[in-house]
Amino acid sequence: MNSENRPPPHGTSAPSAPSAPDAASPAPHAASGAYPTSRKPDAAVVRDALGVGIAVGLSGFAFGVTSAGAGLSVAQTCALSLLVFTGASQFALVGALAGGGGAYAAAAGAFFLGVRNAFYGLRLSQLLQVPGALRPLAAQWVIDETSAVALAQPDRRGARIGFTVTGLSLYLLWNLTTLLGAVGAEAIGDTDAWGLDAAGPAVFLALLAPMVRGTAERAVAALAVLLGLGLLPVLPAGVPVLVSALAAPAVLWAHGRRTARGRRTARGATWRRRDATASPRTEDAAPPRSRDAAPSRTDDAATSRPDATARPDAPQEDER
């Protein structure tokens, strides 16, 4: 009988054929390789992206009014929204200029706030995988809102739709409301009387508040507020913002030292516990040997040595 057609031995089951991959099984995530539980419909992604784009885009009116109140012309205000297109940096720039700060200090504060977009780009480049020709255009839309919507999607298709719809709607509405705010600032009159100069910091705090979750984030926010408010009467306008940015590395350094100290303490306690439990086991595993069980070297030597009292010339009995 051929071995291929031979029945299996008694008590064993025949090997099953390898199953074909299920066509309906979900594909792994584009970037992380994780399997999503369910794919989000495109209509839901578009709805969420439009909600974020419209809600944040309307705050461009406040920026236009604030920028015009700080002394910038309509063309300069619109150029900031068209070219810079990052709300926090724009508000920081016009806020420092309105407070009497120098142009270099205001530009430095806006630059440091915009550096975070570069880290967003590193993550989004792996997730979206935009073609090389479109990357310069996509880089203009890498901001907080587009990154949050794209990273919240379970697959690459949803991430691309969310990033595109959020970026397009927010870019168009932000620039339109910026123009309306800059032009309407003349009709409004004194922006300080309306309190619109506080609109920029309020929008920035509204965007920042959901990110302050852990202990380290709260410590960074608290230390930055203390540095900014404490140095505001002493340093020129715009400089306290730069100094308050040092709160993040200071807190991260202290948090790292605290974490490393805790790990060393936990590791030392673990080793002491192991030594305490291993010592009695070693003594029990190797008990002292008794004298009765120990081999007697004296008896061995006595049996191996020839008898000194026997004469060498004495006749010995023949073996039978």
Side-chain angles (χ1 to χ4, degrees):
M1 182 181 295
N2 190 2
S3 60
E4 297 180 357
N5 300 327
R6 186 178 302 170
H10 180 67
T12 59
S13 59
S16 59
S19 59
D22 189 5
S25 60
H29 193 279
S32 62
Y35 285 85
T37 56
S38 61
R39 186 177 180 276
K40 193 173 183 179
D42 295 344
V45 178
V46 172
R47 182 187 65 242
D48 296 342
L50 285 177
V52 174
I54 294 174
V56 180
L58 292 176
S59 61
F61 182 82
F63 169 73
V65 174
T66 305
S67 178
L72 276 72
S73 64
V74 176
Q76 292 173 337
T77 302
C78 293
L80 281 176
S81 292
L82 286 170
L83 301 178
V84 179
F85 187 56
T86 169
S89 298
Q90 293 178 230
F91 277 114
L93 178 64
V94 299
L97 294 177
Y104 291 105
F111 173 78
F112 282 115
L113 286 175
V115 167
R116 70 188 187 281
N117 296 332
F119 296 99
Y120 294 157
L122 295 176
R123 181 67 179 89
L124 292 177
S125 63
Q126 301 176 359
L127 177 61
L128 302 178
Q129 294 187 359
V130 180
L134 299 177
R135 286 193 175 186
L137 299 177
Q140 180 67 10
W141 291 353
V142 177
I143 54 177
D144 297 331
E145 293 77 15
T146 56
S147 302
V149 173
L151 294 175
Q153 308 310 317
D155 55 355
R156 178 175 296 162
R157 176 180 173 84
R160 287 178 172 177
I161 294 175
F163 178 83
T164 303
V165 174
T166 306
L168 180 61
S169 60
L170 182 54
Y171 188 78
L172 294 177
L173 191 57
W174 178 268
N175 284 277
L176 178 60
T177 53
T178 298
L179 176 61
L180 294 178
V183 174
E186 298 179 358
I188 293 176
D190 187 9
T191 57
D192 294 338
W194 291 84
L196 293 178
D197 54 341
V203 172
F204 180 71
L205 290 177
L207 296 175
L208 185 63
M211 303 179 184
V212 183
R213 298 177 180 177
T215 305
E217 289 83 356
R218 295 190 185 98
V220 170
L223 182 58
V225 170
L226 291 177
L227 290 176
L229 295 179
L231 298 176
L232 187 61
V234 181
L235 299 178
V239 179
V241 177
L242 301 179
V243 178
S244 62
L246 299 176
V251 172
L252 291 178
W253 176 79
H255 182 70
R257 284 179 58 90
R258 180 181 178 183
T259 304
R261 189 183 302 109
R263 290 178 179 177
R264 288 195 299 266
T265 304
R267 191 181 298 114
T270 303
W271 281 109
R272 286 192 298 270
R273 195 182 304 112
R274 289 181 179 178
D275 294 342
T277 55
S279 297
R281 293 181 180 178
T282 306
E283 295 177 358
D284 296 341
R289 303 177 66 179
S290 61
R291 295 183 179 180
D292 297 338
S296 177
R297 296 183 179 179
T298 307
D299 298 341
D300 296 341
T303 55
S304 61
R305 264 198 322 265
D307 190 4
T309 58
R311 294 188 302 174
D313 53 351
Q316 299 179 359
E317 296 182 357
D318 297 334
E319 296 180 358
R320 294 182 181 180

